[in-house]
Amino acid sequence: MAVRLTSLLVLLLLSGPPNLTAAAAACSAADIAAAALAPAGGLNPAAALRSHSPTTLFFAALSDMAYVNDHGFVPSPRASIWPCLQSWGAEGSGAVILNSTDAAGGVSHATLFRTNHDIFLLFRGLDDPANMEPISDDLTPSPAAAYYGLGADDDQSSSIWALRGFLRAHKAIEPLYQAEIDRLVAELPAAAQPTYRIWIVGHSDGSALAQLAAPRIAQAAKYGRARLGGVFVFGPQRVGSTAFASWYNKLVGPRTIRFQYGWDPAWEMLYLPGSTPPANSTGFNGTLAAVGRGYNACPSPTAKRERLVATALGVDKLNACGDPDAFLQATTAAAAAAAAAAGETASQGAAVAAFNGPLRRLRGQQQPKQDLSSLRFLAHHMPAVFFDGLQRVLGAAVDNCTRAALQLPQCVVSTKCSAALRADPKVSGKCATCASNPECKFAWGGAAGGVCDAKSATDSGFLCYKKGEAPPGLYGGLLGLLG
C-alpha cells in the first residue's frame, strides 16, 4: 500500500484549558514535578516501563507536544510547550526544536529538553504533505548493516534493512540531535552526568525515527545502552526488516514500548508485517517487523473503559483487539436505542461528503493514490483518543499529583479536539472521546452527551454527543474542520 497513514496528520491534531480537582489542587509544585518527569534521582526505567505506569501518560502527551502547529487547511501555531515542561520539572533555557533536510528534500523535526537528571528526545510525525513522497512513501529497502556496525552492506544488506525514506531522514537529523544531547548533558549537575538517561518519544512517523535512533544511541561509545532510559512510541509503525527487528530487540527491545489504540491504521493497514520489498528491490530478504513490546487499549461497545492487551517482545500481531467489524456491529446494536434520532446518518454523511472533495484535492497535490476517507479507524490514531483511552485503562493507578500535572492550564497548547491535553470535557462539554455509550456517562459524566459516535470505521470521530443531535463525525468533530 503506497500511502502512509501518518501523512494524514496534515489534517489534524489538538485542543483546550483544564481545571484542577480538589484532591489534585493539594499537590505542590514540587509534588507535580516529581509525579511528572523529575522524581528524585531521575526517572527509573524499571518503574516507567511497567505496563500500568502513570509515567506513560506524560510520554503520550510529549509525543503530541512535538507538533508545533495545529492541522487543518490552514495550520496555526500552538502555544509554547515550555511553561508546561517547566512545571513538569524541565530545566535550562527552553525546549530546542531541530529541523533537518535530507538528500531527497524531506524535512524532519526533533524537540529536546532536559530535567536535572534526564534528557528527552521527541520526534515529530509528518505534518507537511510535501514530506510524504521523500519520507513516508519511500518504501524502498535500504541497506542498514554498515550504519549500525553490523558488517558491510554488501554482505548483510539482504537481511538488515530499513525503509529508505525514514533511514535517510534519520541520517540527516542524527548529527543535530546528538550535538544537542551533548550540550544538554554538559548542562546537567555534576552529580547527574555519570548516571543521566536519554528518553526517546515518537508518534506516527516520529515513531519510525525513534526506532532508528534508539540503537544508534545504545551503540555510541559516548552514550551506551546504560544511558538509554526508554523508547515510547504511540500510533507506531514498522520501519525495519525482520532481521533488523530481531537485532533491535536483543539490544534495546526490553526498553521499547509500543502503544496503540484499537485498530490504528498505522499499525493495521500500513507498513504491515509480511510486506515484501518492492519488485525492483531484488536481493533483499525478510519483511517489515515490529520492535519492542506492545500494548493495545482495546475498546468495547458496552464497557465503561478499554481493556489493555499486551504483546510480548518479538511478537508482531495484527488485530490484537479482535475483529474490528464485530466491534462495529456490536456498537451499532448497543447504540441503536440511544442514538436513533431522525436524520442522524444523513447528517453525518453530509458532513463527510462536504469534506471529502477538499480533502481529496488537498492530498491529491502530493499523493493521489488514496483519499483520507479510505483509512479505517483514523480516529484511533489521534492523540486525544489514545491518551484518554490510556487514562481509562490505568484508572486508579493514576495518582492525584499525576492528574494535577496533566491538568495544568499551561499544558494546554491548542484548542482542537484531537489534542491529548485539552479543556476538561466535563467542564467544556465538548471533545469527550469515547468508544461506547457507557464511557460517555462514566468517564465524562455525560457533560458532552450520552451517545458515542463510534459506529463507522471511516467517518466516526469517537466523541460523545447528545441524543437527537447529529454525531460530530471525524472531520467536523475530532479533527475540528467545521470550525
Side-chain angles (χ1 to χ4, degrees):
M1 189 176 293
V3 177
R4 305 305 132 210
L5 158 103
T6 50
S7 47
L8 301 173
L9 280 169
V10 176
L11 303 164
L12 18 62
L13 260 95
L14 294 118
S15 181
N19 77 306
L20 296 175
T21 64
C27 298
S28 68
D31 293 334
I32 287 174
L37 303 178
L43 290 173
N44 182 340
L49 293 163
R50 288 186 294 108
S51 62
H52 282 70
S53 171
T55 305
T56 309
L57 289 169
F58 294 101
F59 286 118
L62 290 176
S63 76
D64 185 32
M65 289 179 171
Y67 296 92
V68 298
N69 291 319
D70 286 327
H71 298 272
F73 295 117
V74 180
S76 57
R78 296 181 179 180
S80 169
I81 63 174
W82 185 238
C84 177
L85 296 181
Q86 286 182 299
S87 300
W88 289 357
E91 297 183 356
S93 56
V96 173
I97 299 175
L98 304 175
N99 308 297
S100 66
T101 302
D102 63 39
V107 178
S108 299
H109 313 273
T111 301
L112 293 94
F113 67 94
R114 69 171 181 86
T115 61
N116 66 356
H117 206 284
D118 292 295
I119 310 295
F120 296 84
L121 170 59
L122 321 178
F123 287 106
R124 188 188 310 174
L126 189 143
D127 64 349
D128 184 342
N131 291 317
M132 291 168 60
E133 184 174 349
I135 300 179
S136 308
D137 290 339
D138 188 346
L139 306 184
T140 303
S142 183
Y147 185 55
Y148 288 102
L150 301 176
D153 283 336
D154 57 1
D155 294 331
Q156 300 195 43
S157 62
S158 62
S159 59
I160 305 289
W161 53 266
L163 296 178
R164 183 171 65 184
F166 292 113
L167 186 60
R168 182 172 53 218
H170 181 260
K171 287 180 177 180
I173 201 167
E174 182 183 41
L176 304 183
Y177 74 67
Q178 286 204 6
E180 182 60 20
I181 289 174
D182 295 344
R183 187 187 71 81
L184 292 173
V185 170
E187 287 185 354
L188 290 171
Q193 291 191 10
T195 58
Y196 75 90
R197 292 188 177 91
I198 301 168
W199 301 83
I200 306 175
V201 182
H203 168 250
S204 199
D205 275 8
S207 75
L209 297 178
Q211 293 170 55
L212 296 173
R216 290 282 290 182
I217 286 175
Q219 288 179 310
K222 60 181 176 180
Y223 308 128
R225 185 157 46 178
R227 297 282 71 80
L228 182 65
V231 184
F232 289 79
V233 291
F234 300 87
Q237 55 203 43
R238 302 164 186 85
V239 72
S241 65
T242 47
F244 171 84
S246 177
W247 166 76
Y248 179 106
N249 285 337
K250 292 175 183 177
L251 182 67
V252 293
R255 293 201 173 188
T256 300
I257 297 291
R258 306 186 319 266
F259 184 84
Q260 84 177 65
Y261 186 92
W263 296 277
D264 186 329
W267 189 258
E268 305 289 355
M269 293 183 69
L270 307 172
Y271 307 97
L272 294 174
S275 299
T276 55
N280 62 352
S281 301
T282 56
F284 287 85
N285 297 322
T287 65
L288 288 174
V291 301
R293 293 176 288 141
Y295 293 98
N296 290 59
C298 296
S300 165
T302 57
K304 299 177 183 179
R305 65 176 59 89
E306 292 79 355
R307 60 190 173 89
L308 191 67
V309 174
T311 303
L313 181 67
V315 176
D316 192 339
K317 184 176 182 180
L318 293 172
N319 292 329
C321 290
D323 181 359
D325 292 322
F327 167 82
L328 293 171
Q329 293 167 6
T331 298
T332 300
E344 174 183 304
T345 301
S347 299
Q348 183 171 2
V352 173
F355 280 101
N356 267 350
L359 291 175
R360 286 195 182 98
R361 287 196 296 273
L362 178 66
R363 295 205 63 250
Q365 297 170 10
Q366 298 294 332
Q367 176 55 268
K369 299 177 183 177
Q370 183 173 318
D371 63 74
L372 181 65
S373 63
S374 67
L375 286 177
R376 289 163 56 89
F377 296 101
L378 178 59
H380 290 185
H381 194 63
M382 300 301 102
V385 175
F386 67 68
F387 179 83
D388 290 351
L390 181 56
Q391 282 201 97
R392 289 189 288 265
V393 165
L394 294 178
V398 183
D399 60 276
N400 287 333
C401 291
T402 291
R403 294 189 188 281
L406 295 168
Q407 293 175 337
L408 293 171
Q410 60 266 38
C411 293
V412 176
V413 295
S414 168
T415 57
K416 292 294 183 71
C417 281
S418 55
L421 302 181
R422 60 205 182 282
D424 186 348
K426 292 180 181 178
V427 177
S428 69
K430 66 175 186 176
C431 301
T433 69
C434 61
S436 69
N437 292 351
E439 285 186 353
C440 292
K441 177 180 179 181
F442 292 99
W444 307 113
V451 185
C452 183
D453 173 25
K455 293 188 293 183
S456 169
T458 55
D459 301 338
S460 290
F462 285 76
L463 295 172
C464 301
Y465 67 101
K466 293 179 174 63
K467 183 177 179 179
E469 296 181 354
L474 173 64
Y475 310 127
L478 190 63
L479 301 187
L481 299 184
L482 287 178

